[in-house]
Amino acid sequence: QVQLVESGGGLVQPGGSLRLSCVASGFPFDTSAMGWYRRPPGKEREMVAALATIERITNYADFAKGRFSISSDNAKNTVYLQMNDLRPEDTAVYFCNALSRGGPRYDDWGQGTQVTVSS
């Protein structure tokens, strides 16, 4: 059974930082591309960052470039998202998933982790 458990969110002031974690199980993590998505209030889900583990290639949405960084630890089956210089518009529920053909691989999303950026 595929399981994705996100954590690390919280309430931060504009300009602050957070590091999100996603612990994955139920599939071969070491050969799977991974990505972070987010769903702002009242909006559709959007991709934030992607990591092709084998190829060691990263991709970022325009709003994330220069501020966010995706990485992974295969020994822990964990993917991370370091977020710096956070802005109010970054407020959203953040999710992780494996990637296939540039999109989410599994329907079984985790609960997500809430990130709120406010003064």
Side-chain angles (χ1 to χ4, degrees):
Q1 181 180 355
V2 173
Q3 288 188 316
L4 300 163
V5 182
E6 300 93 346
S7 63
L11 174 63
V12 297
Q13 294 185 340
S17 298
L18 286 172
R19 189 179 76 158
L20 308 183
S21 298
C22 169
V23 180
S25 62
F27 63 92
F29 180 86
D30 59 344
T31 60
S32 299
M34 298 293 296
W36 283 95
Y37 295 80
R38 71 183 187 185
R39 187 180 66 235
K43 298 182 179 180
E44 297 295 324
R45 179 187 64 207
E46 61 186 353
M47 180 176 286
V48 177
L51 171 65
T53 305
I54 297 176
E55 297 87 349
R56 299 178 180 178
I57 298 173
T58 58
N59 288 287
Y60 298 93
D62 287 341
F63 61 78
K65 293 179 179 177
R67 298 191 299 130
F68 297 178
S69 179
I70 186 172
S71 62
S72 66
D73 185 339
N74 288 342
K76 297 181 178 180
N77 279 19
T78 301
V79 61
Y80 304 95
L81 183 68
Q82 177 68 45
M83 304 188 296
N84 300 320
D85 191 23
L86 285 163
R87 305 163 182 170
E89 53 264 40
D90 294 320
T91 296
V93 180
Y94 285 72
F95 301 89
C96 66
N97 209 323
L99 299 178
S100 180
R101 298 182 178 180
R105 181 175 178 180
Y106 301 109
D107 293 331
D108 189 12
W109 298 84
Q111 293 182 343
T113 184
Q114 176 71 51
V115 172
T116 302
V117 185
S118 176
S119 60

